[in-house]
Amino acid sequence: MSVTKNITIQKLIQILLGRIKFIILLTVIGGLLFFCYSEFIIQPIYSTSSMVSVLNYSSKTKDGQSSNEINGKIYGSDISGSNNLAKICVTLFNNTDELTALYDGCSVNISIADNSFFIIFSVSGTDPQKCANVANQLADKSKEVFVDYMAYGQMRTVREARVPTRPDSPNNVKNGMMGLVVGFALACAISILLELIDTTIRVDDDIQNMYGIPVFAEIPDFES
């Protein structure tokens, strides 16, 4: 004869409350394990970036006059023209050996900031000083590459990369919270599983629930 247990919501709550100490303990252990793994095992990653601007006009013409004076404009170039030139430069920089040789084992992403004419050299790695050096070297070298390949326009440094003081990842607090959630879920699952495989009869209702047999009387334990 098979033995089954009917688990209701009320019964489920009783099971979890009956093992509340075990659940709290396993939840805390899970949070500590995830936090310690994040703090001492995972290698921290630092990120920094430098920025340059690209304009589709030269600051000075051959006769010494500025482009603003010749064009009679407040700005010597429209944003869309500089943006198009910046897109060309990003493609060039991503495929130029002079720049890729400077990566030095770091992860580099060259992109345009918010559809503008500003190019960002984002560098990530395990050594914060190396990341800053690579970002600044890329910004400086990009000017030389720009001059070699472009017949017009100019490039200027907007922001130099600084040495990051804090890692971007891992997030120890977030990982610790994930550990708490995993520990709590695991503790609840174990508590319910132990209840399902436990065939111990504690009260008369267990007999009726497990075997479908009504209880008419019970013999008390006189020794207790």
Side-chain angles (χ1 to χ4, degrees), residues 90 93-110 121-124 130-131 133-135 137-138:
V90 168
F93 296 158
N94 280 314
N95 296 277
T96 303
D97 293 338
E98 290 90 332
L99 267 66
T100 57
L102 300 175
Y103 288 2
D104 195 16
C106 296
S107 176
V108 177
N109 180 48
I110 305 175
F121 298 92
S122 301
V123 182
S124 301
K130 180 189 290 186
C131 291
N133 293 340
V134 170
Q137 289 173 5
L138 289 173

Side-chain angles (χ1 to χ4, degrees), residues 24-41 172-184:
I24 293 176
L25 178 61
L26 196 57
T27 300
V28 174
I29 292 176
L32 289 176
L33 287 177
F34 272 63
F35 180 84
C36 292
Y37 178 78
S38 178
E39 176 71 20
F40 302 108
I41 304 300
N172 297 331
V173 176
K174 180 180 179 180
N175 291 338
M177 295 297 294
M178 290 177 58
L180 292 176
V181 174
V182 172
F184 176 77

